[in-house]
Amino acid sequence: METADFVRTLDREGLLLAVAAEEAGTDAKVPTCPQWQVRDLVRHTGTVHRWAAAFVAEGHTSYQPDGGLPDLDGAELLAWFREGHRHLVDTLAGAPADVECWHFLPAPSPLAFWARRQAHETTIHRFDAQSARGGTPDEIATDFAADGVDELLRGFHARSKSRVRSAGPRVLRVRATDADDAVWTVRLSQEPSVTERGGTAPADCEISGPADLLYLSLWNRLPFPQVSGDASIGTLWRENSAVV
């Protein structure tokens, strides 16, 4: 996917999140994040939007902390969220392709990183907001969902921060059944996992299903669509894969 595609997705998903949050009400519980009410979800996502936009807009080349969660609720909170979301979209859409700023996963460029990361951040939290509202959530495009699986496996869980470790070497296969070239082999050990595209090596466990369900389940929003082989590896993922 191109950077412009991610920006368009971010734009759409943020608008959907705001509508769902407004319809649910900020007191509503978020079933996919049981520790949160909708106000917590909106405060978190809006803070991340402003944090991300600042790196691109201000050209910070080293890590900067976010500005903290706002003491807002109700209509004021939703207006604050919409303002920050619009600023992020406009910042990414208007930034030069060669902008230099800090980013924390491998990417073709800082701009490509931030557009991709915020599109996925916002999509997952849009699903959270729609879960709080109830009803049928909006669909997630297959190619975008497969990209999100790739970012999670080859980006987040390649970092030293990942807690997905196993006492001995194990191999997890992740397979999207409705997308081309959407198979990953995840080698688990006491070190950060090593993930490669493709699935010819033997695996101890395979998690498979449509890309959108894989995406949401690997982010611990839904049960795994299908697990074959050693189910304890799926449990290991479920218990240790929260991103920190």
Side-chain angles (χ1 to χ4, degrees):
M1 294 179 64
E2 300 295 329
T3 296
D5 297 323
F6 287 119
V7 174
R8 283 191 289 270
T9 299
L10 165 64
D11 192 358
R12 180 183 67 251
E13 295 291 322
L15 294 173
L16 289 171
L17 190 162
V19 169
E22 190 167 37
E23 291 174 348
T26 56
D27 287 338
K29 295 286 188 181
V30 181
T32 48
C33 299
Q35 73 278 21
W36 274 357
Q37 293 174 283
V38 166
R39 65 172 59 87
D40 304 304
L41 172 65
V42 175
R43 288 169 180 168
H44 165 80
T45 312
T47 297
V48 170
H49 284 173
R50 283 167 164 75
W51 176 72
F55 285 105
V56 178
E58 300 170 21
H60 298 300
T61 56
S62 61
Y63 171 81
Q64 303 290 319
D66 63 48
L69 300 176
D71 186 19
L72 297 172
D73 203 354
E76 287 185 323
L77 174 61
L78 291 168
W80 172 87
F81 173 85
R82 289 184 167 108
E83 179 185 19
H85 168 249
R86 178 49 45 199
H87 174 59
L88 174 61
V89 170
D90 291 346
T91 295
L92 294 173
D98 61 352
V99 64
E100 292 293 332
C101 63
W102 179 83
H103 58 292
F104 60 87
L105 295 178
S109 70
L111 182 60
F113 165 80
W114 283 112
R116 182 195 202 196
R117 175 81 292 276
Q118 291 310 300
H120 287 299
E121 174 87 13
T122 306
T123 298
I124 291 295
H125 289 317
R126 181 271 293 171
F127 183 82
D128 293 332
Q130 291 184 336
S131 297
R133 179 198 63 192
T136 302
D138 284 80
E139 294 182 355
I140 300 172
T142 298
D143 59 344
F144 179 77
D147 180 82
V149 172
D150 190 78
E151 184 203 40
L152 183 62
L153 296 180
R154 297 205 298 158
F156 278 103
H157 288 292
R159 301 188 304 166
S160 61
K161 290 183 177 182
S162 174
R163 296 182 295 110
V164 180
R165 313 289 178 98
S166 63
R170 309 304 299 275
V171 178
L172 169 65
R173 172 91 14 80
V174 176
R175 185 186 305 273
T177 54
D178 59 346
D180 295 331
D181 189 31
V183 181
W184 297 263
T185 297
V186 185
R187 300 183 185 279
L188 302 173
S189 69
Q190 296 183 42
E191 300 298 321
S193 63
V194 176
T195 300
E196 59 192 30
R197 297 296 290 259
T200 58
D204 300 297
C205 174
E206 180 167 310
I207 299 172
S208 61
D212 60 338
L213 300 184
L214 275 183
Y215 177 57
L216 291 167
S217 66
L218 289 168
W219 275 106
N220 294 322
R221 265 50 185 193
L222 293 176
F224 295 128
Q226 182 173 342
V227 179
S228 58
D230 184 352
S232 70
I233 299 176
T235 302
L236 182 150
W237 179 277
R238 182 70 72 194
E239 293 178 349
N240 296 282
S241 64
V243 169
V244 295

